[in-house]
Amino acid sequence: MTENISVEDLNKEDAALELARLHKVLEAANAEYYQADQPTLTDADYDALKRRNTAIETRFPDLKRVNSPTDQVGAAPADGFGKVAHAVRMLSLGNAFTDEDVHEFDVSVRKFLGVPRGDVSYTAEPKIDGLSLSLRYVDGVLVQAATRGDGAVGENVTENARTIATVPQQIANAPAVLEVRGEVYMSHEDFASLNQRQSEAGGKVFSNPRNAAAGSLRQLDAKITKARPLKFFAYAWGELSEPLGETQAGAIERLRELGFATNPLTQVCASPSELISHYRLIEEQRARLGYDIDGVVYKVNDLGLQGRLGFRSTTPRWAIAHKFPAELAWTTLEAIDIQVGRTGALSPVARLAPVTVGGVVVSNATLHNEDYIAGLGNKGEDIRDGKDIRAGDWVQVYRAGDVIPKVADVDLSKRLPEAAVFEMPKTCPKCGSPAVREDGDAVRRCTGGLICPAQAVEKLKHFVSRAAFDIEGLGAKQIEAFYDDERLPVREPADIFTLRARDSAALTKLANRDGWGATSVKNVFQAIDDKRKIEFSRLIFALGVRHVGEVTAQDLARHYGTWDALAENVALARPAALAHRAADEAELLEREIAQRDGRRARVSDARKAAITDQHVPLEATKAWAFLIDADGIGATVALSLSDALANPDESGAIGRLVDQLSDIIPPEAQNSDSPVAGKTVVFTGTLEKMTRAEAKARAESLGAKVSGSVSAKTDLLVAGPGAGSKAKKAADLGIETLDEDGWLSLIGDL
Ligand code: IVH
């Protein structure tokens, strides 16, 4: 095997063989990197192979191959594509799975708008299973193409998109600025012949058309993309200098006239029942379409209404994806393993005999928690008719879209007599600390905190993940290696930022170590330094506090503005947080006792007594009130945050991290040019031109904060007919009060 011979020892013949081998490996790695989310080679291994290739070429210059990996544009995949900030965010869609969900979607739309049944019509069209692409035209010329990325920032794939036949390079009579969005996909026929060619050439064979399309579009070498038969359906748009029409259907028709391929199965439907009929029709044609679809997308047809409905954090209120039923398969459950997550949750995972489910090979499935395995649902009800799951069982797995596969059913007739009932470990399998289930929690958690290596590693992985610090070249694999590294350990986030300094003081440099090279080390240190400047919301999210997800982190960032303000307020609120927990416990106890004694529980008395007992200082009560006054922050999140910051290990680690940062970027004042940005607004009385929900969403989209009660912090009261005590209180406090029309003209909607 030439791969085991060092460069110095290679003779010419072996060197030629080895160059051929490296060429193949690197090319396959490139293809894999650009089509799969899980590349088979680490960046470091890739770099090492490339260095070896260059070293051999230097020793035997005449052996250098045409198309040598050394000459390939873009070099290491870590360099990747340029980034593109989307002018208008690229969103995803909420899901509906049942007919009932579709009716509920219609109800929620009409409720938000305050219109009667039948007054809203929709479009229904296939949901293409490919990857989304945004095409930007300026004065009719294609100037940029970008993938969705995280919705805010995507990858620049302009050169590749230019090779797609159904993407026009130039269009006549187009708006000056036109961003067309749609799906890149590969037809079944093209997929089959591509795989045929790939396998004949000894190249990578793709597992499904979606992966093939993604791998082909995300090629650093546009020549490769050109050789792959990709297609594009237009179904949406981003920035526009003028509207495309008044309705969704009209706008899509306009895109068709401009020369884009649009889906012929798009139809306007007047009611949820019509949507469902069209769904059935598409479902029936699915197998004959010649390309993969995974559901039907419904959109409110009137673009004026779409505008009023607006967006939740990541999905529009005016559209939903009605997914086709999940694909199913039977296989053997070989073992049940326990994974420990970053919040200490012990998650049982099914190891399966590999089986193909809807074109993808599945070998793991989630089993959620011990109740789920025992056949019990969230509310203690039977699931799977109460059948439990055991190692060795014959189980049915399913997978819907991108979600983690699940175990749906078990065939008891195939159960072996010796199959043992599953027992959840009562201690953490990673650190041995007790693993406990709290009242009302289905999940058992390791109590080891940061002393548990599994929790610590998972927390670090979360810290560097895409929505958190997003450090290029420092992913889950590298974090695991550094955690166990004796010479250059990373045990807490701050350690990441001291890596460069520690490495320069070390005897064996990282660059000389396995899996690393000068370039990858230089890049990763630079990527780390770049993140010393970080958005406040990312910092909050990165801490991995239980219950604090991306959206909550953004809410907290907006509420506090700076890290110091947050830390100070949460610390000040600590006694009130503890009193709140004591009140919860007192309430639980009171309920139990009342039930035993057959009387009604005196919940509020019990809570009050518990809080009085705690002697909470007034400033703590005020600080707690401020904390839970933040949008989207309830007592559960507030308590969890309070616990994290009050824990000396955690707060120590956070302090050390904050010391390493140079700049915590405060959240942008949203729409700072709007007259109500940053203002706290209260709506009261009857609104006649819109529902409360719409008024709130509209005010928030203009950067205002909407509160339910009037206080000294209120800037503006909008009072409709029938306004009562709130209007009086506002008048007493001297707060500006407007009627509905006054509000609409203030925000320019009248
Ligand atoms: S509309 C603001 N229409 O599905 C809504 N999306 O799960 C923009 N997709 O990211 C999306 N077919 O990549 C829309 N006919 C269709 C679609 C479609 C496929 C994809 C798209 C989106 C994802 C959301």
Side-chain angles (χ1 to χ4, degrees):
M1 288 297 265
T2 51
E3 65 193 273
N4 298 322
I5 309 176
S6 73
V7 177
E8 296 75 18
D9 298 334
L10 281 170
N11 61 33
K12 195 159 180 180
E13 201 179 331
D14 283 343
L17 285 175
E18 179 62 355
L19 281 179
R21 185 189 74 86
L22 286 169
H23 186 89
K24 213 161 153 181
V25 173
L26 287 166
E27 203 173 58
N30 272 338
E32 261 149 20
Y33 181 86
Y34 291 112
Q35 68 84 29
D37 289 331
Q38 289 176 311
T40 45
L41 281 185
T42 61
D43 292 351
D45 290 341
Y46 181 93
D47 282 346
L49 290 178
K50 244 183 129 159
R51 278 199 309 277
R52 182 171 167 83
N53 187 79
T54 315
I56 300 173
E57 286 173 349
T58 317
R59 250 197 89 199
F60 303 100
D62 53 326
L63 287 185
K64 186 168 167 186
R65 302 162 62 95
V66 256
N67 263 334
S68 153
T70 327
D71 297 333
Q72 241 147 60
V73 275
D79 296 337
F81 296 91
K83 299 261 195 286
V84 173
H86 295 298
V88 176
R89 268 179 73 91
M90 286 182 84
L91 294 143
S92 60
L93 294 168
N95 289 329
F97 295 100
T98 62
D99 292 0
E100 199 187 326
D101 293 346
V102 178
H103 285 282
E104 261 170 33
F105 166 65
D106 172 59
V107 169
S108 75
V109 164
R110 287 184 296 99
K111 216 164 138 193
F112 186 92
L113 297 168
V115 301
R117 185 189 289 270
D119 266 22
V120 179
S121 70
Y122 300 90
T123 57
E125 71 204 55
K127 182 170 189 297
I128 318 297
D129 197 6
L131 69 156
S132 46
L133 183 69
S134 186
L135 303 168
R136 188 176 172 90
Y137 294 84
V138 175
D139 297 325
V141 178
L142 176 63
V143 294
Q144 189 168 72
T147 62
R148 190 171 92 127
D150 65 1
V153 177
E155 286 169 327
N156 188 339
V157 290
T158 313
E159 290 319 307
N160 300 1
R162 286 190 200 287
T163 69
I164 303 175
T166 39
V167 166
Q169 300 275 331
Q170 248 179 343
I171 43 184
N173 306 319
V177 176
L178 168 66
E179 268 181 22
V180 178
R181 290 177 177 177
E183 205 84 350
V184 172
Y185 67 100
M186 195 180 281
S187 73
H188 291 159
E189 204 183 336
D190 290 338
F191 168 68
S193 54
L194 169 65
N195 263 355
Q196 171 90 35
R197 276 184 281 135
Q198 289 285 105
S199 85
E200 278 165 12
K204 151 115 194 161
V205 172
F206 296 98
S207 57
N208 58 43
R210 205 201 81 86
N211 283 352
S216 303
L217 184 67
R218 299 180 73 253
Q219 275 290 344
L220 280 182
D221 184 354
K223 284 203 287 300
I224 300 182
T225 311
K226 195 175 167 64
R228 306 269 174 91
L230 295 173
K231 293 197 166 91
F232 178 79
F233 271 132
Y235 54 64
W237 50 90
E239 197 184 350
L240 295 174
S241 55
E242 61 189 75
L244 291 170
E246 287 180 5
T247 60
Q248 177 74 30
I252 295 301
E253 176 55 22
R254 176 85 200 282
L255 290 179
R256 201 184 61 78
E257 287 162 8
L258 288 171
F260 292 91
T262 59
N263 196 288
L265 286 169
T266 308
Q267 174 152 336
V268 177
C269 298
S271 66
S273 330
E274 282 186 25
L275 289 176
I276 292 164
S277 312
H278 196 57
Y279 171 90
R280 300 263 182 274
L281 180 101
I282 292 177
E283 191 178 30
E284 194 254 313
Q285 299 193 16
R286 183 181 186 187
R288 297 190 297 276
L289 290 177
Y291 50 87
D292 277 353
I293 64 173
D294 57 350
V296 178
V297 181
Y298 306 142
K299 299 171 184 166
V300 168
N301 193 27
D302 182 320
L303 295 183
L305 296 184
Q306 279 193 10
R308 282 175 57 192
L309 284 154
F311 303 90
R312 297 178 212 93
S313 54
T314 58
T315 57
R317 285 194 193 84
W318 45 264
I320 199 161
H322 189 177
K323 302 296 279 281
F324 291 132
E327 320 234 16
L328 297 159
W330 287 91
T331 187
T332 307
L333 188 157
E334 292 176 337
I336 298 178
D337 283 354
I338 303 295
Q339 281 177 353
V340 183
R342 93 187 130 80
T343 59
L346 267 48
S347 315
V349 179
R351 305 291 177 209
L352 307 165
V355 59
T356 306
V357 193
V360 174
V361 178
V362 166
S363 48
N364 300 310
T366 172
L367 291 167
H368 304 285
N369 54 56
E370 54 199 284
D371 286 353
Y372 186 83
I373 296 177
L376 294 173
N378 287 338
K379 298 181 191 80
E381 77 283 11
D382 275 0
I383 49 173
R384 299 183 303 269
D385 299 327
K387 289 181 276 187
D388 73 331
I389 298 172
R390 304 183 188 182
D393 275 348
W394 183 242
V395 294
Q396 187 185 42
V397 283
Y398 71 100
R399 147 173 191 276
D402 302 330
V403 300
I404 311 168
K406 295 182 184 167
V407 172
D409 203 1
V410 47
D411 183 347
L412 292 187
S413 73
K414 293 209 166 69
R415 177 170 287 169
L416 302 170
E418 65 272 23
V421 175
F422 172 74
E423 253 203 77
M424 194 73 173
K426 306 292 182 290
T427 55
C428 172
K430 297 284 155 53
C431 73
S433 306
V436 300
R437 257 184 95 163
E438 279 173 25
D439 265 341
D441 195 352
V443 173
R444 192 170 285 279
R445 283 173 208 279
C446 160
T447 52
L450 290 177
I451 69 139
C452 173
Q455 281 192 51
V457 169
E458 292 307 316
K459 256 183 124 86
L460 282 165
K461 285 186 196 165
H462 171 81
F463 184 84
V464 297
S465 67
R466 183 141 106 170
F469 270 65
D470 190 18
I471 299 176
E472 221 166 299
L474 196 61
K477 265 213 180 111
Q478 290 81 0
I479 285 293
E480 270 176 15
F482 274 124
Y483 188 83
D484 291 325
D485 192 315
E486 296 288 311
R487 291 170 292 182
L488 212 53
V490 171
R491 301 271 155 77
E492 61 175 58
D495 295 343
I496 294 172
F497 291 95
T498 58
L499 268 176
R500 189 198 284 271
R502 287 187 288 146
D503 186 50
S504 74
L507 286 178
T508 335
K509 304 277 183 260
L510 189 56
N512 299 324
R513 310 233 312 244
D514 250 13
W516 292 95
T519 318
S520 53
V521 169
K522 184 176 136 254
N523 289 345
V524 81
F525 285 167
Q526 187 56 48
I528 291 170
D529 280 343
D530 288 348
K531 296 298 162 88
R532 289 184 195 272
K533 200 173 157 192
I534 191 84
E535 288 95 343
F536 186 25
S537 57
R538 280 183 182 264
L539 168 63
I540 300 174
F541 175 68
L543 300 179
V545 176
R546 201 172 145 202
H547 302 303
V548 179
E550 239 182 298
V551 175
T552 307
Q554 284 160 6
D555 288 339
L556 284 167
R558 269 197 296 277
H559 192 60
Y560 286 107
T562 68
W563 172 256
D564 290 342
L566 181 149
E568 192 184 325
N569 179 254
V570 175
L572 208 56
R574 184 63 179 161
L578 292 175
H580 190 90
R581 173 165 295 132
D584 281 350
E585 282 162 8
E587 173 181 338
L588 220 66
L589 191 66
E590 165 65 8
R591 282 187 194 283
E592 266 173 37
I593 296 172
Q595 196 181 15
R596 194 193 63 201
D597 296 352
R599 61 171 173 82
R600 266 189 54 198
R602 288 185 286 268
V603 169
S604 75
D605 289 352
R607 293 192 70 95
K608 260 189 217 145
I611 290 179
T612 314
D613 271 0
Q614 301 274 324
H615 306 293
V616 181
L618 182 64
E619 53 181 17
T621 309
K622 282 190 176 158
W624 174 256
F626 184 75
L627 170 56
I628 59 173
D629 189 39
D631 276 336
I633 310 297
T636 311
V637 176
L639 263 173
S640 172
L641 186 64
S642 174
D643 285 349
L645 298 195
N647 175 317
D649 292 344
E650 289 230 28
S651 71
I654 296 172
R656 289 186 288 277
L657 164 66
V658 171
D659 285 346
Q660 290 294 329
L661 303 177
S662 62
D663 195 1
I664 302 174
I665 308 162
E668 256 172 63
Q670 286 174 326
N671 286 297
S672 47
D673 50 351
S674 117
V676 295
K679 299 252 165 83
T680 300
V681 182
V682 175
F683 292 95
T684 186
T686 315
L687 298 179
E688 286 162 338
K689 298 198 169 135
M690 57 194 154
T691 62
R692 220 24 112 61
E694 182 177 357
K696 181 169 189 282
R698 178 80 182 118
E700 283 171 353
S701 76
L702 293 168
K705 226 185 106 187
V706 177
S707 164
S709 59
V710 174
S711 74
K713 277 195 241 133
T714 310
D715 295 301
L716 187 63
L717 182 81
V718 180
S725 61
K726 286 182 195 168
K728 185 171 176 306
K729 188 165 176 194
D732 291 347
L733 289 168
I735 290 164
E736 185 185 357
T737 302
L738 293 174
D739 63 9
E740 190 176 358
D741 280 349
W743 160 255
L744 291 174
S745 79
L746 172 67
I747 61 173
D749 279 2
L750 200 65

